[in-house]
Amino acid sequence: MKISRILVINRGEIAVRIIRTCRVLGIETVLAASEADKDATGARLADKTVVVGPPPVSTYLNIPVLMKTALEAGAQAVHPGYGFLSEKPELARACADNGLIFIGPKADHIHKMGNKLVARTLARECGVPILSGSERVNAFEDVLKVVEQIGFPIMLKAAAGGGGRGMKIITENERDRVRPIFEEAAAEALAAFGDGSMYVEKYIPNARHVEVQVLGDKYGNVVHLGERDCSTQRRHQKLIEEAGAPNISDAQRSEIRAAAVKLAKNISYESAGTVEFILDQDTGKFYFLEMNTRIQVEHPVTEMITGVDLVQEQLNVADSGALPFTQEDIHFNGHAIECRINAEKPEENFRPTPGVITRWELPQGPGVRVDTHCHHGYKVPFFYDSLIAKLIVHGTDREHARRRMLAALDEFSVEGISTTIPFLQKVLKTPDFAEGRVNTRLLEKVL
Amino acid sequence: MSNNILGIFDGSDIDGITALIDKLEKSSFDYLRLEGDGVKIAIGKNGVCESTEASAAKTLPQAAIPAAQTWAPANDAPAAEINSPALGTAAPVPAPTEQTGTEAAPSGAVSEQAGIFIVKSPSYGIFYAQSEPGAPAYVKLGDTVQKGDTLGLLEIMKTFNAITSEAHGEVARIHVQNQEVLEPDQPLFSIKIK
């Protein structure tokens, strides 16, 4: 491997995750950390930590400073993790300009998939099903024209969107309010993404979120590593993810996996990526939603059932390596579930709870994995998101994994701050979840 | 003076920027942002600033979204949400103290006086005086505010909450700067009750 030292420009559990694989591979790590993160586990595990700025989020978005840090540290490559700059083509280009390897896909792929309208077109061109909808709509009159063709309900979406910003559902009853809803959504998208471009898609009320992990190299090889179900969401934020997706037919599973590979192959995708689909539970049909051109938060469930280290393969592919396996070499073993544990107080409307962790005892045992940057005495800063740990379990089947998760959550002991652990236990015990009747609206019933 | 300060600007650039600062200072505007090929210049006054580069525009939400939204985690998504429920804790009006006059003491030692309602920070977080860089501040000195009006935003773990007034009155004192890091119970606004 040419890469012998990398700069990690992220924080939290994903920084720890990346550093762990590098330690296994004998790659030195330099962590670019904000002042608020120098006490996190990532900084303890990295070979070297460079404080690159003050606590706010902007420290992890400052491309010139991060490039300078990489060059001064003698790193050959940069790993962006997820969030922050990971899906900014500007970072991939800046790496190229500075002679650094970007551990991720090509800037062009990030750019194209970052625009949801372009991504929709690419999917349609290679025969991957997309929801009926529109190209860019510039005014509410355009929205009404689309409605004439596809009917209500519809979903207004931001072309540059993500995380629910600029997204609005419009039902038949709101026919008279299309104008204000459209204008509000466009303004919200503009404020959040600096781009108010909107489009329309048919809204699927009874839906599941199913995504496929793909890996590609620069020699045109693409494999999938199976699908994940991420339907258990609250306000468009995933809380529980699992691999594989429960209660779908073998035919659906094969089709959805093949569609993801087709899209990735068609654009000669390199590195790890995730193709997201919406599954209409009323019709059994699935539709392309978007492609994420980075490592996902929920990647460990895929690792648990395939045995593939996704970060290792990102490094391998970035270093011009070929994928060391073909599709036939990938075998799926059992079932895995991940719970995102957040520093929040569910009974107070999920109020964030930063503060000092005074007790931190992690669950252990067969099939249990915890990815976290926290430790006893760690001060959870208020500058960043509330994810403090990911608890991942593997079981021989879904029910085994669910029971293992419940036992592990019970063993997970945190004091000093409130966490979502009790809420997750409640969700896992619902008959709907227990029987695999997951749905993007499942949590509405629990709350 | 070097002709190439920091390797970014030359002498004429500096002259140009100085002229812009001068113009903004004399204007009725608080904030100016210019963007060109790879260069962005942002100048603010009266506490309006953009210290966090372009990211601030991305992470700052749109102004007041009226409906009650709830706390939401935002782990890998850049999304941020505004919560509207009144989070600004306000101290009850205490008995008069020995201090006189309406001028509050410097930060950290704001006294509570009869007829003055002090809006305090409910928790740690980052204070935003405006909905986004370049937007007008929610309130300025002398403004009349109603109970429930938004006075500013508090960002905590990527969620945004409106800090609202719990009193009807006039903004007599602003104790906080835009983008200041807040501590629990830190005085933010003195409202002269009407």
Side-chain angles (χ1 to χ4, degrees):
Chain A
M1 202 175 249
K2 289 200 297 288
I3 299 173
S4 59
R5 184 182 298 163
I6 72 164
L7 182 74
V8 179
I9 57 168
N10 211 302
R11 61 173 304 281
E13 66 82 21
I14 195 63
V16 174
R17 168 71 194 87
I18 295 161
I19 292 165
R20 281 198 174 126
T21 287
C22 290
R23 284 160 65 98
V24 173
L25 298 176
I27 295 172
E28 288 180 3
T29 49
V30 181
L31 179 66
S34 83
E35 187 67 33
D37 283 330
K38 60 184 185 187
D39 185 42
T41 301
R44 295 180 176 188
L45 289 180
D47 291 293
K48 188 180 171 195
T49 298
V50 180
V51 174
V52 287
V57 168
S58 55
T59 291
Y60 292 101
L61 299 172
N62 193 333
I63 295 178
V65 166
L66 295 168
M67 290 296 101
K68 187 166 169 277
T69 305
L71 294 172
E72 285 178 359
Q76 300 97 17
V78 172
H79 200 305
Y82 54 66
F84 296 122
L85 288 169
S86 61
E87 290 184 283
K88 296 282 178 208
E90 295 85 353
L91 175 68
R93 288 193 201 108
C95 284
D97 292 347
N98 286 285
L100 295 161
I101 296 169
F102 174 73
I103 302 167
K106 289 188 272 197
D108 183 48
H109 290 154
I110 302 172
H111 178 72
K112 282 178 175 156
M113 289 303 176
N115 185 307
K116 311 304 174 202
L117 275 170
V118 175
R120 254 171 77 87
T121 304
L122 287 170
R124 192 183 58 223
E125 281 172 2
C126 66
V128 171
I130 58 170
L131 284 162
S132 50
S134 71
E135 293 300 314
R136 180 180 170 160
V137 285
N138 296 308
F140 80 99
E141 292 95 336
D142 298 341
V143 178
L144 290 173
K145 277 182 206 155
V146 180
V147 170
E148 279 173 27
Q149 293 159 19
I150 66 173
F152 285 108
I154 57 161
M155 174 91 96
L156 280 178
K157 285 185 168 181
R165 301 290 290 169
M167 265 163 65
K168 301 277 175 197
I169 299 160
I170 309 181
T171 62
E172 176 78 52
N173 296 339
E174 293 166 305
R175 178 179 283 277
D176 297 338
R177 295 198 58 244
V178 169
R179 182 175 191 165
I181 295 172
F182 171 79
E183 286 169 359
E184 192 182 323
E188 197 175 306
L190 184 65
F193 312 115
D195 179 355
S197 305
M198 303 297 295
Y199 66 104
V200 179
E201 272 184 354
K202 183 80 186 161
Y203 175 65
I204 309 287
N206 194 12
R208 280 173 61 178
H209 175 115
V210 179
E211 61 185 31
V212 179
Q213 177 71 54
V214 294
L215 267 176
D217 65 20
K218 59 179 58 180
Y219 310 103
N221 303 306
V222 175
V223 299
H224 72 77
L225 297 177
E227 75 290 338
R228 298 183 283 256
D229 188 294
C230 310
S231 302
T232 312
Q233 306 180 357
R234 181 180 161 270
R235 302 186 71 84
H236 305 293
Q237 299 293 331
K238 299 164 186 172
L239 288 186
I240 303 175
E241 301 102 337
E242 47 188 319
N247 291 345
I248 63 172
S249 69
D250 288 346
Q252 280 175 317
R253 210 182 296 279
S254 302
E255 273 179 55
I256 212 162
R257 290 171 172 181
V261 170
K262 191 160 37 165
L263 177 62
K265 269 202 167 153
N266 201 48
I267 60 170
S268 305
Y269 188 78
E270 290 171 26
S271 193
T274 297
V275 187
E276 297 191 342
F277 296 94
I278 192 161
L279 180 64
D280 185 340
Q281 288 188 285
D282 294 331
T283 64
K285 289 186 177 162
F286 66 88
Y287 305 93
F288 169 78
L289 270 187
E290 62 182 57
M291 182 169 189
N292 295 319
T293 52
R294 54 170 161 83
I295 192 89
Q296 297 269 109
V297 177
E298 59 271 24
H299 77 275
V301 287
T302 298
E303 296 184 322
M304 296 293 262
I305 63 162
T306 60
V308 173
D309 180 330
L310 281 161
V311 173
Q312 182 175 328
E313 292 316 319
Q314 281 190 305
L315 286 158
N316 169 40
V317 168
D319 207 24
S320 300
L323 290 178
F325 37 67
T326 64
Q327 192 64 63
E328 291 67 40
D329 298 324
I330 303 296
H331 300 288
F332 301 99
N333 173 29
H335 194 91
I337 301 176
E338 171 180 285
C339 282
R340 297 192 190 189
I341 294 167
N342 294 331
E344 291 166 9
K345 200 163 191 179
E347 60 272 33
E348 288 180 22
N349 219 359
F350 292 85
R351 175 175 66 83
T353 55
V356 177
I357 295 173
T358 55
R359 181 186 172 100
W360 184 253
E361 285 185 30
L362 301 182
Q364 298 177 39
V368 176
R369 163 177 168 180
V370 184
D371 283 15
T372 181
H373 57 291
C374 300
H375 50 79
H376 179 88
Y378 176 70
K379 185 176 180 184
V380 180
F382 59 82
F383 298 99
Y384 309 106
D385 64 64
S386 55
L387 181 71
I388 53 168
K390 301 186 314 201
L391 173 58
I392 309 109
V393 299
H394 181 261
T396 50
D397 57 23
R398 187 173 187 273
E399 178 58 11
H400 186 216
R402 188 186 73 89
R403 296 181 73 89
R404 221 169 222 176
M405 179 59 84
L406 280 169
L409 282 170
D410 195 50
E411 201 177 320
F412 205 135
S413 179
V414 186
E415 286 175 13
I417 58 167
S418 288
T419 75
T420 46
I421 289 173
F423 176 75
L424 292 162
Q425 288 171 314
K426 198 168 143 189
V427 176
L428 284 157
K429 286 176 185 167
T430 61
D432 279 343
F433 188 90
E435 286 156 34
R437 291 193 300 272
V438 286
N439 184 298
T440 51
R441 292 158 82 182
L442 170 70
L443 290 191
E444 289 174 19
K445 292 188 201 170
V446 181
L447 288 165
Chain B
M1 184 195 274
S2 160
N3 280 339
N4 190 11
I5 295 171
L6 305 173
I8 302 168
F9 301 117
D10 63 20
S12 63
D13 290 333
I14 299 299
D15 290 344
I17 294 168
T18 310
L20 284 176
I21 293 170
D22 199 39
K23 285 242 169 18
L24 182 71
E25 183 62 41
K26 289 173 183 155
S27 78
S28 59
F29 296 99
D30 283 341
Y31 186 80
L32 171 72
R33 182 165 72 173
L34 293 173
E35 277 190 74
D37 249 4
V39 177
K40 184 169 87 173
I41 296 169
I43 315 169
K45 66 178 186 188
N46 297 335
V48 178
C49 65
E50 190 195 18
S51 66
T52 52
E53 305 185 3
S55 61
K58 187 175 168 61
T59 51
L60 278 175
Q62 203 201 348
I65 292 176
Q69 294 195 30
T70 51
W71 292 105
N75 295 332
D76 61 336
E81 297 185 18
I82 298 181
N83 291 311
S84 291
L87 257 186
T89 55
V93 182
T97 63
E98 64 281 6
Q99 193 178 349
T100 55
T102 53
E103 276 294 294
S107 177
V110 177
S111 297
E112 292 162 347
Q113 305 160 1
I116 298 285
F117 204 85
I118 296 173
V119 179
K120 295 182 175 181
S121 173
S123 66
Y124 289 99
I126 304 168
F127 175 81
Y128 293 97
Q130 68 239 74
S131 60
E132 59 181 312
Y138 284 105
V139 287
K140 55 184 189 302
L141 276 180
D143 280 0
T144 297
V145 293
Q146 304 293 329
K147 198 173 170 182
D149 280 359
T150 298
L151 306 175
L153 297 178
L154 179 70
E155 182 194 357
I156 173 171
M157 296 183 125
K158 290 177 79 179
T159 62
F160 289 81
N161 295 270
I163 292 173
T164 55
S165 178
E166 297 245 324
H168 166 56
E170 182 189 319
V171 180
R173 202 57 209 269
I174 300 175
H175 308 284
V176 65
Q177 293 275 317
N178 189 40
Q179 298 197 5
E180 187 173 326
V181 171
L182 302 184
E183 295 192 356
D185 294 326
Q186 182 176 334
L188 306 177
F189 297 90
S190 291
I191 309 291
K192 195 175 176 184
I193 296 168
K194 284 191 175 172

